[in-house]
Amino acid sequence: MSLHGKRKEIYKYEAPWTVYAMNWSVRPDKRFRLALGSFVEEYNNKVQLVGLDEESSEFICRNTFDHPYPTTKLMWIPDTKGVYPDLLATSGDYLRVWRVGETETRLECLLNNNKNSDFCAPLTSFDWNEVDPYLLGTSSIDTTCTIWGLETGQVLGRVNLVSGHVKTQLIAHDKEVYDIAFSRAGGGRDMFASVGADGSVRMFDLRHLEHSTIIYEDPQHHPLLRLCWNKQDPNYLATMAMDGMEVVILDVRVPCTPVARLNNHRACVNGIAWAPHSSCHICTAADDHQALIWDIQQMPRAIEDPILAYTAEGEINNVQWASTQPDWIAICYNNCLEILRGGKLQ
C-alpha cells in the first residue's frame, strides 16, 4: 500500500454505535482491515468489518453482521501468511467463529461448553494461539478457562467446514476470570495466563494442568481486568486492575513483585498493547482520553513518563497495535475508530 506517500497520520471512521471490541486483521492482503464490535446494552448488537481505501484515504464499511449481545472481544485468525480460511472469532454469550467472504460473513461454528444446560456463563475474553491456530482459549465468569480445538473438515471438495471441541476445561480462579492470553514461552503453544476478580495472575501449562503458578496478586485484591504478553520477550507481561489508573509490568522470573508501574494516567486505564516489533515499548489507553507510549528499557529503574502521548476526543475504550504494520496503532472512543501512525504520537 502506498499510504506512506500520502503523509496522512490519522485516519478516522465513525460507526453508527459505540465501539468497544476492535482487532486488526493480520492477513498480508488485508493490511488496513479491522473488525469493530458495537456496545449497545441490549440483545441485538453488530460487528462491522472496515477497511481503509487507498484511493480515497477513507475507511469503508465492507460488511456488517448481527451479533447477540456486545462482543467482549473479537479477533482475526492469527494467519500472517494467508493460508487458512479467512476467519474471525467473537466472544459474548458463546465463542463464535465466522467465515468472512467478499460480500457476506456467515457463522461457521458456535462453541458451547454447557451442553446440558440452557444457561450459559458469559465469556469475558478469549485468545487465539499464534503458533497453533487450531487452539483457542476462553475465559468465563464461571471461574473457568476452556481450551478449544478447531477442526477444518474437507466437505464437498472446496468447502471447509469448521467445527470445534473442548480440549480441556479448568477451574482457573476462585472468582470470575476476566482475561486469558497465550504466552510465547516454550514454543508458544502450551503456556497461557489468566487474570480475574480474585486479583491474581495465574500461569498454566497445557502439558501439566494439575497445577498453576500465581505470578502476581494485587495487594488490595482488586479485580484484574486485562493481561497482555510482551510480543518479543515472553518473560514480561502487563496487567491492570479494575478502576485502576496504572499498568503493572511483571517479570515471570521474579513473581509477585512488579518490575515497573506506569502511572501517568489521570483516569482508569482500559487498554494495553505491546509493540509488535520491540520488547521495550507499550501503549496504554484510558478514560482520560490519552493513549501513552512508554519505553520501559530502563527497568527496574522507575519509568517516570511516557515518551509519546496522543489525546483523543473521548474516553478511549480499547487500543490495538498492528502486528503486521508496527507504525500503526488503533484506538476507539465513543463511536469512533482512529488509526494513528506512530510518528504522530508526539
Side-chain angles (χ1 to χ4, degrees):
M1 279 210 181
S2 57
L3 281 169
H4 295 283
K6 298 235 170 126
R7 296 279 185 276
K8 207 167 169 187
E9 306 292 346
I10 300 181
Y11 295 89
K12 184 174 179 177
Y13 174 74
E14 293 190 29
W17 21 254
T18 302
V19 181
Y20 173 67
M22 162 182 76
N23 189 245
W24 289 92
S25 170
V26 298
R27 283 180 80 91
D29 56 338
K30 307 277 188 191
R31 293 186 350 140
F32 284 87
R33 179 175 68 163
L34 294 102
L36 309 175
S38 67
F39 186 83
V40 184
E41 291 190 17
E42 53 187 59
Y43 181 77
N44 296 316
N45 273 258
K46 302 281 186 190
V47 173
Q48 280 193 346
L49 310 182
V50 302
L52 194 58
D53 181 78
E54 242 188 301
E55 298 307 309
S56 66
S57 297
E58 300 287 334
F59 268 110
I60 292 172
C61 177
R62 309 270 186 211
N63 204 318
T64 302
F65 59 92
D66 293 327
H67 194 279
Y69 304 106
T71 51
T72 50
K73 184 172 178 177
L74 41 74
M75 192 175 173
W76 297 91
I77 184 169
D79 175 19
T80 52
K81 296 191 173 66
V83 294
Y84 293 93
D86 198 7
L87 301 178
L88 176 75
T90 60
S91 54
D93 49 349
Y94 300 108
L95 180 66
R96 290 175 173 83
V97 179
W98 309 81
R99 178 190 292 267
V100 177
E102 283 306 312
T103 53
E104 63 164 10
T105 300
R106 70 164 195 260
L107 182 62
E108 196 73 8
C109 64
L110 181 148
L111 302 175
N112 170 17
N113 220 349
N114 300 58
K115 291 283 186 282
N116 307 322
S117 158
D118 292 337
F119 171 77
C120 64
L123 300 177
T124 50
S125 187
F126 73 97
D127 195 23
W128 206 324
N129 192 295
E130 288 184 12
V131 171
D132 181 354
Y134 293 106
L135 280 185
L136 294 96
T138 55
S139 55
S140 171
I141 63 166
D142 68 3
T143 77
T144 67
C145 289
T146 304
I147 305 299
W148 299 87
L150 288 184
E151 300 89 35
T152 53
Q154 290 293 329
V155 180
L156 301 177
R158 290 184 314 135
V159 182
N160 282 336
L161 287 183
V162 179
S163 60
H165 68 279
V166 175
K167 280 184 103 64
T168 185
Q169 183 179 35
L170 55 141
I171 295 173
H173 287 258
D174 304 328
K175 295 181 178 175
E176 297 95 330
V177 192
Y178 289 138
D179 203 5
I180 179 172
F182 288 104
S183 161
R184 293 192 174 188
R189 186 184 183 277
D190 296 298
M191 317 274 281
F192 66 93
S194 59
V195 293
D198 58 11
S200 69
V201 180
R202 302 190 186 210
M203 193 143 175
F204 300 86
D205 186 328
L206 286 173
R207 297 158 299 193
H208 309 287
L209 282 174
E210 58 280 359
H211 59 86
S212 65
T213 311
I214 294 181
I215 47 181
Y216 176 70
E217 288 190 281
D218 183 84
Q220 278 80 45
H221 302 290
H222 290 148
L224 299 177
L225 289 186
R226 291 276 169 272
L227 84 153
C228 200
W229 288 99
N230 186 304
K231 302 288 187 215
Q232 295 292 327
D233 185 339
N235 290 310
Y236 294 110
L237 67 127
T239 187
M240 66 195 207
M242 185 182 285
D243 301 326
M245 289 191 257
E246 70 174 11
V247 169
V248 174
I249 309 289
L250 306 171
D251 182 338
V252 296
R253 298 162 299 188
V254 191
C256 303
T257 310
V259 67
R261 294 178 182 276
L262 312 178
N263 50 17
N264 273 43
H265 283 291
R266 297 289 167 259
C268 66
V269 178
N270 296 321
I272 312 167
W274 287 94
H277 58 307
S278 156
S279 62
C280 54
H281 291 94
I282 186 170
C283 184
T284 59
D287 274 354
D288 60 5
H289 299 205
Q290 293 220 294
L292 305 177
I293 292 187
W294 308 78
D295 183 345
I296 59 169
Q297 214 162 345
Q298 65 202 44
M299 293 188 309
R301 292 209 313 272
I303 315 292
E304 299 291 344
D305 291 300
I307 54 168
L308 299 168
Y310 175 74
T311 304
E313 293 166 15
E315 299 176 351
I316 303 177
N317 295 330
N318 201 332
V319 57
Q320 299 274 318
W321 204 316
S323 59
T324 52
Q325 306 156 91
D327 283 356
W328 293 91
I329 289 174
I331 60 168
C332 60
Y333 59 90
N334 303 334
N335 67 325
C336 296
L337 158 75
E338 283 183 354
I339 65 169
L340 318 164
R341 186 141 89 205
K344 180 65 182 173
L345 292 162
Q346 302 294 345

